[in-house]
Amino acid sequence: MKKVLGLSLLLTSAFFMSCSDDDPIVISPETVIENAKTTFVSNYVNIVEANYNDALAKTKDLQTAINAFVAAPDAAKLATAKQSWLDAREPYGQTEAYRFYDGPIDGADFGEIEGNINAWPLDEALIDYVADGTGGQEASDNRQNIVNNITEYPNFTKEILRNLSGYSENESNVTMGYHAIEFLLWGQDATAPSAKLAGQRPFTDFTTKENSERRKQYLKLATEILVEDLEAVTKQWKSGAQYRTEFLALSKNDAIDKILTGAAKLSNGELSGERMVTAVVNQDQEDEHSCFSDNTHRDIYLNAKSINNIINGSYTKVDGTKISGTSLLEVLTLVNAAEAVTLTTTATTVMAKVKVISDAKFFDYQIIGETKDNNNKPVMSAVTSLEKQGIELAQAGKTITGNNIDSEV
Amino acid sequence: MNKVFFYAIVTLLLFSCNKKEEYTSLYNYENGEELSAGKLTTTILGVNAFDQKVPGLSQLDGRSFFVGNSLFRQNWVSSPASTTARDGLGPTFNARACSSCHNKDGRGKPLETGQKFSAGFLMRISTSGIGAHGGPKTLTNYGGQIQEHANLGVSYEAKVSVTFKTIKGTFTDGESYELKEPIYTISDEQFGSLQNALTSPRVGQQVIGLGLVDAISNNDILANADEFDADNDGISGKANYVWDVVKNQTVLGRFGWKANQPNLKQQVAGAFSGDMGLTTSLFPDENCPSPQQDCQKFPNGGLPEVTDEALTDIMIYSSSLSVPIRRNFKDENVLKGKQIFKDMKCNSCHTEVFTTSNNYPANKTLENVTIRPYSDFLLHDMGDALADNRPDFKATGKEWRTQPLWGVGLIDEVNNHTFLLHDGRARNIEEAILWHGGESEASKEAYKNLTKEDRTAVLGFINSL
């Protein structure tokens, strides 16, 4: 409803301005489109800023909970820390469409921070003990790891942990970010998917278990690193920050290219391909995005929401207030109304389908029996819609800017 | 009359305008030359420049790409394992993931002095004589390469370390340079001495465009062969003929530093077997030479460990990686460098253009594409300085396959280093040129004779690829 109102206001004001006898200024349709592009980009920037602010605030809450837990570990404080982690994922999950265009989150100029914040799958065996046969280093390490290998890593600093992630130039050796913290809070999900249980790490891992002090230290430092990294990203989008200023100074077409590249790639590549199809094909809970906490159903929903926020030009903050402005659909309607109708339908379908996944929970259970060539079951039908949406987003970009946009990761 | 006058004025105006803005390049930009993979070229640059899939894959192949990417990137674990998808590493191995040696689908790093973990380096070994099917004769106790890692309870084979000797030289204009010659030491051999083994050090190459190379017809590669230098230009170009384990016969080789693998699928399966200790339907036997009892007794991760379905996904993935578009391709300096590159006859081996065949069933999207790999995929004598003195099928100890140059200028951005050549001994493009010898001696000398400005132009051109 609101979107229709927004659009009609936009068109009406153009009409008024061009028809007023007192004011002979004629606003051409081209100008209306240009204005819509401008307000779409500025609305996007406002959404990005609010979204990262939320993610950072909730991650700082997580840090508070973890610090309290580490100071005096018990079951209740572990539960609080876990809930804080889940809460922090709600805004963060919605930021993922701001990727894939070399911005503050994953641009080389900014140090590819995304890899520290949200890389997965984790090499949990490199961090802490794991069940037999789920990893571990070479024989000479005796399957020990950073927490338990005192000889190799006598003490921890943030610097040491930062340098270890991706050691040996291997992008799979991930030891930092949300998922490292998730693993330390939940532990491996060693139960069958049918048990519908997440990781069962006892709080005694942080009290009586061997190397509990080191485990606490790792958890605390990993969280500090996460907050620092997220702060660095958030800072770049604040009013007056260099990146935000540069982004707003881009030609509107270039800015829209970036916005839609991120959204299209998340839709057609990262989310549908990396995070959903791969799990379906491998039938392996290790291939779930949040495999320790069994929170993948929310990741999927929130990532889709991230794209949808751009399509509909609105973001609801954690405190319930709404940021909204010119949406992609409004701009697209001005340029090609038919494409806008198609995208509206697809976007609605996507959200309905990811809601089914979110409501069903336990993604590791949901994928059982699905295959990559059967598009009718819940997970793969969501994949199919996301792929379609990604292609339509890339097409929308081309329609609006005239430039080719690649939706494929 | 008026009309004539009008035209005269217009012409004059145009002429004067043109004259003001007139700018003629001294060198030629060729239409589309920036599209290294033709219509399949990716425009994504930066750290993910080598990660991009070619456009136009079918929906199912597009999905396989992601699954293959995941299999490529993630660590395999030893058996028995609770992870079902990546189970069966080793028993002996060089790396736990494809991405260990091809980080972000890019290039592995060479061994460094005192290094703890190798990140994309391995040592091939053999003994003198010719092995089964005409390949290198493997060592009974070790197989074809040194696996420096092993699963818990199994012995690794041996360790390799390196030191460097400095070689000094000067350009004709008086500027000096230094090359670093690696000297390798094999130690800690667990199954008998390797001190007399033939050795060949290797780093992992970037995996971009491999499907396009696979899709070139044999005839198009053989068209550039001139084994006995019949045209008398000092450049031969020799085809390697290697063993195809599926066809069970000797065929043209085109992959690997010595063109010792016939096709992409065997190259990939060979890497699974040799580098990671994973069995496939192509190489179904565990890589456990006879004295390695612990290795032989170790539990495996299924038969084969990499299922045919997974191998197909990896094949779709590795064959569908695009090649990034060139940068600065219209810069005067780059175009000048391109001309000098040609004048120095670098393109005698670094052949610019191929068109893929119209019959590549493994990935139909790759058919009939004009590509610019800058390689002839043939063997050339590269002189004593680069020689490993280890024959590999038809390749002598001095011969190496021309390395494709597409994407070379982006290795730094993707992998944070600029090490080149088969064992990464060249620290940058210029050093790689200076290591050239044998058939490429004249081209190297030509480079050394260039002025600093022209050398910079050549490097600018190569970096633009």
Side-chain angles (χ1 to χ4, degrees):
Chain A
M1 238 7 211
K2 230 180 181 150
K3 261 132 269 144
V4 176
L5 187 66
L7 176 60
S8 57
L9 276 176
L10 193 72
L11 291 173
T12 319
S13 57
F15 178 76
F16 272 131
M17 287 173 93
S18 56
C19 294
S20 161
D21 286 332
D22 303 336
D23 187 349
I25 297 169
V26 174
I27 307 280
S28 65
E30 286 74 22
T31 310
V32 173
I33 291 169
E34 285 311 306
N35 289 344
K37 286 181 181 176
T38 304
T39 50
F40 169 64
V41 172
S42 58
N43 182 45
Y44 172 84
V45 168
N46 291 338
I47 287 175
V48 175
E49 182 191 16
N51 197 168
Y52 276 126
N53 280 342
D54 274 354
L56 178 60
K58 297 307 282 181
T59 305
K60 282 182 171 169
D61 289 352
L62 167 65
Q63 186 177 28
T64 306
I66 282 174
N67 286 346
F69 170 64
V70 165
D74 62 27
K77 287 202 274 291
L78 178 58
T80 307
K82 285 171 160 182
Q83 188 56 51
S84 304
W85 187 91
L86 295 170
D87 292 347
R89 293 294 287 175
E90 293 289 311
Y92 188 80
Q94 293 178 69
T95 67
E96 294 215 40
Y98 317 143
R99 290 177 52 189
F100 311 115
Y101 55 77
D102 288 340
I105 184 68
D106 57 4
D109 292 347
F110 302 92
E112 298 175 69
I113 302 176
E114 203 275 340
N116 297 345
I117 292 177
N118 194 39
W120 75 287
L122 203 66
D123 190 359
E124 59 264 32
L126 194 54
I127 298 175
D128 197 2
Y129 74 88
V130 291
D132 268 356
T134 52
Q137 294 303 290
E138 60 176 305
S140 52
D141 279 353
N142 201 20
R143 268 199 209 198
Q144 286 196 346
N145 41 64
I146 299 170
V147 165
N148 297 296
N149 195 334
I150 302 169
T151 329
E152 196 77 43
Y153 318 104
N155 44 55
F156 302 147
T157 62
K158 279 187 278 186
E159 199 53 33
I160 288 170
L161 296 188
R162 277 187 184 281
N163 289 340
L164 269 168
S165 206
Y167 92 85
S168 192
E169 293 298 312
N170 185 346
E171 56 185 325
S172 68
N173 291 341
V174 177
T175 59
M176 282 201 298
Y178 281 113
H179 299 296
I181 294 163
E182 181 197 4
F183 168 59
L184 287 166
L185 293 176
W186 271 272
Q188 283 181 297
D189 179 2
T191 53
S194 58
K196 297 191 172 179
L197 283 173
Q200 300 291 305
R201 188 189 288 280
F203 81 91
T204 47
D205 274 14
F206 297 88
T207 54
T208 50
K209 179 122 182 166
E210 196 182 1
N211 292 322
S212 59
E213 282 306 313
R214 287 167 61 84
R215 196 167 288 112
K216 287 196 291 193
Q217 210 187 350
Y218 195 113
L219 177 59
K220 198 162 181 272
L221 290 175
T223 312
E224 271 178 44
I225 292 171
L226 176 62
V227 168
E228 280 173 17
D229 285 343
L230 204 48
E231 249 164 3
V233 176
T234 308
K235 233 163 97 180
Q236 289 293 338
W237 285 104
K238 287 197 186 308
S239 191
Q242 193 186 346
Y243 187 81
R244 181 189 173 118
T245 308
E246 282 170 15
F247 193 89
L248 287 170
L250 289 171
S251 82
K252 294 312 151 198
N253 284 348
D254 286 351
I256 292 169
D257 267 5
K258 285 180 187 287
I259 296 169
L260 293 189
T261 299
K265 279 183 178 283
L266 181 60
S267 197
N268 191 27
E270 179 73 21
L271 176 56
S272 57
E274 299 264 7
R275 297 185 182 175
M276 296 170 75
V277 174
T278 301
V280 164
V281 169
N282 291 341
Q283 293 283 301
D284 189 348
Q285 49 185 338
E286 285 272 321
D287 284 303
E288 278 192 275
H289 192 66
S290 296
C291 65
F292 311 113
S293 62
D294 266 353
N295 195 46
T296 308
H297 60 289
R298 287 305 292 165
D299 293 323
I300 289 166
Y301 180 83
L302 294 162
N303 291 171
K305 187 82 172 67
S306 177
I307 303 161
N308 197 264
N309 289 342
I310 295 168
I311 294 174
N312 286 310
S314 104
Y315 166 71
T316 305
K317 294 206 293 189
V318 170
D319 68 8
T321 56
K322 210 166 184 176
I323 310 262
S324 64
T326 307
S327 66
L328 173 66
L329 288 174
E330 285 169 356
V331 182
L332 188 57
T333 302
L334 294 172
V335 185
N336 185 326
E339 278 186 19
V341 169
T342 311
L343 179 59
T344 306
T345 309
T346 308
T348 309
T349 310
V350 164
M351 289 316 292
K353 288 184 186 295
V354 293
K355 185 163 186 309
V356 170
I357 292 171
S358 178
D359 290 347
K361 301 180 181 172
F362 304 103
F363 186 66
D364 53 354
Y365 185 71
Q366 291 186 59
I367 58 175
I368 292 173
E370 291 216 22
T371 55
K372 72 177 172 198
D373 54 357
N374 182 342
N375 297 347
N376 298 319
K377 293 200 170 171
V379 175
M380 285 310 296
S381 83
V383 164
T384 310
S385 308
L386 282 161
E387 289 170 343
K388 189 166 181 283
Q389 179 177 263
I391 292 162
E392 287 174 15
L393 284 167
Q395 178 56 46
K398 189 173 183 178
T399 303
I400 293 169
T401 70
N403 298 334
N404 282 321
I405 289 179
D406 189 2
S407 72
E408 307 188 349
V409 167
Chain B
M1 201 53 186
N2 267 346
K3 220 172 189 179
V4 171
F5 181 68
F6 174 76
Y7 277 130
I9 297 255
V10 170
T11 313
L12 194 67
L13 278 172
L14 278 178
F15 184 71
S16 52
C17 279
N18 274 351
K19 203 169 185 190
K20 204 172 179 185
E21 291 168 12
E22 190 178 27
Y23 174 73
T24 315
S25 172
L26 289 167
Y27 309 101
N28 285 334
Y29 160 74
E30 291 147 78
N31 206 18
E33 69 170 88
E34 69 274 23
L35 302 175
S36 300
K39 64 183 181 188
L40 303 181
T41 305
T42 177
T43 54
I44 306 282
L45 299 173
V47 291
N48 295 317
F50 295 164
D51 288 343
Q52 307 302 317
K53 76 175 165 182
V54 296
L57 293 181
S58 70
Q59 185 181 53
L60 273 183
D61 282 354
R63 289 173 180 174
S64 290
F65 180 89
F66 290 110
V67 182
N69 188 14
S70 159
L71 288 167
F72 188 91
R73 195 172 48 201
Q74 290 172 39
N75 287 343
W76 288 69
V77 301
S78 61
S79 294
S82 69
T83 174
T84 47
R86 288 174 292 276
D87 160 28
L89 175 72
T92 62
F93 58 95
N94 293 100
R96 301 172 68 208
C98 306
S99 59
S100 303
C101 302
H102 310 278
N103 192 33
K104 292 182 181 144
D105 303 295
R107 181 161 298 221
K109 272 188 179 170
L111 203 59
E112 291 166 34
T113 314
Q115 196 176 24
K116 215 171 202 173
F117 302 107
S118 81
F121 173 90
L122 63 83
M123 183 69 86
R124 293 228 196 282
I125 45 172
S126 52
T127 187
S128 52
I130 293 169
H133 311 306
K137 192 169 181 184
T138 53
L139 286 122
T140 321
N141 294 2
Y142 285 95
Q145 69 194 48
I146 297 176
Q147 278 89 20
E148 54 181 347
H149 301 294
N151 289 329
L152 187 67
V154 177
S155 178
Y156 60 84
E157 293 185 328
K159 298 286 182 186
V160 184
S161 57
V162 70
T163 55
F164 291 93
K165 189 174 111 187
T166 302
I167 298 171
K168 291 177 189 289
T170 45
F171 295 103
T172 308
D173 67 8
E175 191 179 314
S176 63
Y177 63 81
E178 283 184 357
L179 301 177
K180 293 284 185 189
E181 184 192 350
I183 297 155
Y184 299 97
T185 307
I186 296 172
S187 60
D188 221 2
E189 299 106 303
Q190 300 298 303
F191 302 99
S193 174
L194 283 170
Q195 298 308 313
N196 293 318
L198 299 175
T199 58
S200 187
R202 305 286 166 91
V203 292
Q205 304 176 19
Q206 60 269 38
V207 291
I208 52 171
L210 295 189
L212 294 163
V213 176
D214 208 22
I216 301 172
S217 76
N218 283 358
N219 284 344
D220 283 354
I221 289 179
L222 292 172
N224 292 314
D226 180 20
E227 185 171 346
F228 304 104
D229 192 20
D231 64 0
N232 221 7
D233 67 348
I235 309 290
S236 63
K238 175 175 149 188
N240 204 353
Y241 284 93
V242 305
W243 188 248
D244 184 318
V245 298
V246 174
K247 287 185 178 159
N248 232 9
Q249 67 184 60
T250 296
V251 301
L252 176 69
R254 67 175 74 185
F255 285 100
W257 290 103
K258 294 259 187 188
N260 66 353
Q261 291 289 359
N263 54 55
L264 183 56
K265 190 169 186 179
Q266 188 168 321
Q267 168 73 33
V268 169
F272 272 130
S273 172
D275 304 346
M276 295 161 68
L278 292 162
T279 55
T280 56
S281 54
L282 275 73
F283 297 103
D285 298 328
E286 287 286 356
N287 187 4
C288 296
S290 61
Q292 300 185 19
Q293 301 278 326
D294 295 335
C295 182
Q296 288 161 20
K297 288 181 197 148
F298 202 82
N300 67 52
L303 293 172
E305 287 160 339
V306 182
T307 62
D308 279 348
E309 194 193 0
L311 191 58
T312 301
D313 288 337
I314 288 267
M315 265 300 287
I316 293 291
Y317 175 69
S318 55
S319 67
S320 302
L321 283 167
S322 183
V323 181
I325 192 168
R326 289 180 52 201
R327 290 79 49 215
N328 314 317
F329 46 87
K330 282 185 179 169
D331 281 9
E332 191 71 358
N333 195 50
V334 167
L335 291 171
K336 180 183 175 189
K338 184 176 80 168
Q339 187 57 49
I340 302 171
F341 184 86
K342 278 183 192 159
D343 294 344
M344 296 191 300
K345 300 204 181 334
C346 302
N347 57 350
S348 300
C349 307
H350 292 285
T351 309
E352 184 180 350
V353 179
F354 279 94
T355 300
T356 59
S357 79
N358 56 12
N359 181 25
Y360 185 58
N363 197 334
K364 304 294 279 180
T365 310
L366 307 183
E367 292 176 352
N368 280 319
V369 185
T370 301
I371 59 172
R372 292 169 175 80
Y374 284 90
S375 171
D376 60 3
F377 306 102
L378 295 168
L379 298 170
H380 297 272
D381 180 337
M382 292 296 287
D384 292 331
L386 283 179
D388 63 359
N389 300 310
R390 175 181 176 269
D392 200 338
F393 292 96
K394 299 283 180 202
T396 69
K398 288 184 187 179
E399 286 174 328
W400 297 93
R401 185 198 72 160
T402 309
Q403 178 68 9
L405 296 179
W406 54 10
V408 71
L410 283 166
I411 295 174
D412 194 15
E413 261 189 280
V414 174
N415 297 120
N416 291 316
H417 72 78
T418 54
F419 294 109
L420 296 170
L421 296 178
H422 62 276
D423 62 353
R425 64 179 61 195
R427 291 172 294 180
N428 52 48
I429 291 170
E430 179 158 85
E431 288 192 3
I433 297 170
L434 293 167
W435 274 107
H436 278 55
E439 292 173 39
S440 57
E441 183 74 27
S443 296
K444 176 188 66 183
E445 286 304 321
Y447 181 80
K448 285 171 72 176
N449 287 332
L450 296 177
T451 62
K452 175 85 178 172
E453 198 189 328
D454 287 353
R455 296 202 298 271
T456 307
V458 171
L459 298 178
F461 164 67
I462 298 174
N463 261 312
S464 80
L465 294 174

